[in-house]
Structures are given as C-alpha cells and as structure tokens.
Amino acid sequence: MENKITRESQMDMALSRARSENKPVLLDFFNPG
Amino acid sequence: MDTVSYPDKKVIEFINNSLISLRVRYDAQPMATDFNLKWTPTLIILDKEGKEHHRTVGFIPAEELIPSLLLGIAKVHFDLNEFKDALSRLEKILSDFPKSGSAPEAIYLKGVCLYKDTKNPKGLKEAYEQLQAKYPEGEWTKRAYPYRLL
C-alpha cells in the first residue's frame, strides 16, 4: 500500500487522469504557512 | 490536515483509490479566483469536466474525512443522474460511518435518490422517519419535514 497521497498540481493533468481513470477530482486548496 | 488527517493510512488508501487529488496553493491563479477561494483548507469535489459538486471549508479530522469525501462523490453521481452510483456511496457512509457528521445528509440524499430513481415517494418518507428518530433537532430532519406527509 502506498504511504502517501498521489497528487497532481495542474488542473489539466488532473482532469485528464479523471477521465482516463473514471474518478472525480479532489481539489485541495492549502496554505503552506 | 497535513499533520493529522492526510497521513492516516485509511485516508491515503481511500483518496488514492477513489479520487484524483489535485493540490494547489491558496493563491494559485486562475483557480483561486475561478473557485472563489476565501479560506483554507478548502476541499472541492469536481467531476471529470472540472465542474464543482461539493465543498468543505475548514479542518476535517481523519475519521470524518472519508465520509465527507464519499458524500462529495455521491453528489457528483446525483447531479449527473447516476442514482445507483450515488446510492452505493451513500449506503457506504451509513454502513461504515453511521456516526459521522455526513450521515444525516447522506440519509436525506439517499431518500431523494430513491425517489428520483424509482418515482416512489416511499424513500423520502423513510428518510424523514430515520432522520426524526436519529437526529430530531437536526438540520436535515427539518429539511425532510414535509416528507412526513407522503
């Protein structure tokens, strides 16, 4: 099992993966502090 | 989120298996403006075309995060009229996370899904009865109040 969340940083890539893997996107806005 | 919720093994497994995670800074443009971002953490569930279906603002503990994300996925399917797919996520919330903060809305939305899928109002009335029994003062119980008459 993976020990961290696999994350994208660009919307285009996230939507491309969402279509190919048939999954919704979790858009996570964060403040690095 | 980074120190408590995201390192949780069940959260990692759920997100990697069920969603495409896209993480951006609060000031990333044009996304911050496009999504009217005002505070962090903000989590938004999008469909495959990038349309928003569910949003939470503020910290979510690990034990609440999976049911909240399941609710968001259910809303994507609901909004796309994919009621059986929505129902499977809502039933997962109610079976695996019955005490979560997402459960009352899941009961409500399950009733609506059943009605829209079958045109039988029985699901709406059952949703009200379950909400009234479990959360007599809850927001979603009040929203379901008219369904007592069905």
Side-chain angles (χ1 to χ4, degrees):
Chain A
M1 191 176 75
E2 296 166 276
N3 59 9
K4 65 177 182 179
I5 296 170
T6 302
R7 290 184 167 119
E8 300 295 338
S9 59
Q10 300 295 324
M11 179 67 84
D12 289 350
M13 180 58 71
L15 292 178
S16 176
R17 281 190 58 207
R19 293 184 192 107
S20 65
E21 298 177 35
N22 196 29
K23 295 176 181 176
V25 172
L26 169 59
L27 173 55
D28 174 6
F29 282 104
F30 78 110
N31 185 340
Chain B
M1 299 291 288
D2 283 336
T3 57
V4 177
S5 303
Y6 287 141
D8 184 277
K9 289 182 179 178
K10 290 181 180 176
V11 169
I12 293 169
E13 182 178 16
F14 178 82
I15 291 177
N16 284 343
N17 288 340
S18 305
L19 293 156
I20 304 299
S21 179
L22 167 61
R23 191 169 220 213
V24 297
R25 285 173 54 107
Y26 70 99
D27 54 357
Q29 295 296 349
M31 279 189 280
T33 297
D34 290 346
F35 287 95
N36 195 28
L37 186 83
K38 299 298 181 188
W39 193 242
T40 60
T42 290
L43 304 182
I44 304 174
I45 303 293
L46 312 173
D47 64 26
K48 291 176 281 187
E49 306 307 318
K51 183 178 178 182
E52 177 175 343
H53 294 269
H54 178 70
R55 174 181 295 220
T56 60
V57 179
F59 171 76
I60 302 177
E63 67 272 17
E64 291 284 349
L65 185 53
I66 294 176
S68 176
L69 296 174
L70 276 167
L71 183 60
I73 296 169
K75 287 182 179 179
V76 172
H77 291 297
F78 176 79
D79 291 344
L80 297 173
N81 295 324
E82 299 166 352
F83 300 119
K84 287 182 171 54
D85 289 323
L87 281 166
S88 73
R89 272 67 175 197
L90 297 169
E91 286 165 356
K92 181 82 170 167
I93 294 170
L94 299 175
S95 63
D96 294 4
F97 309 96
K99 295 182 179 179
S100 70
S102 298
E105 188 173 355
I107 293 172
Y108 181 96
L109 193 56
K110 178 182 173 183
V112 178
C113 278
L114 287 168
Y115 173 68
K116 290 180 78 77
D117 192 38
T118 66
K119 307 304 179 196
N120 185 340
K122 181 181 173 186
L124 292 172
K125 187 168 186 175
E126 287 178 351
Y128 168 73
E129 291 170 348
Q130 289 177 30
L131 287 163
Q132 177 63 29
K134 293 182 179 179
Y135 315 99
E137 301 300 322
E139 174 189 349
W140 290 98
T141 308
K142 293 171 185 170
R143 294 195 195 191
Y145 191 64
Y147 307 151
R148 76 192 190 286
L149 302 173
L150 295 172

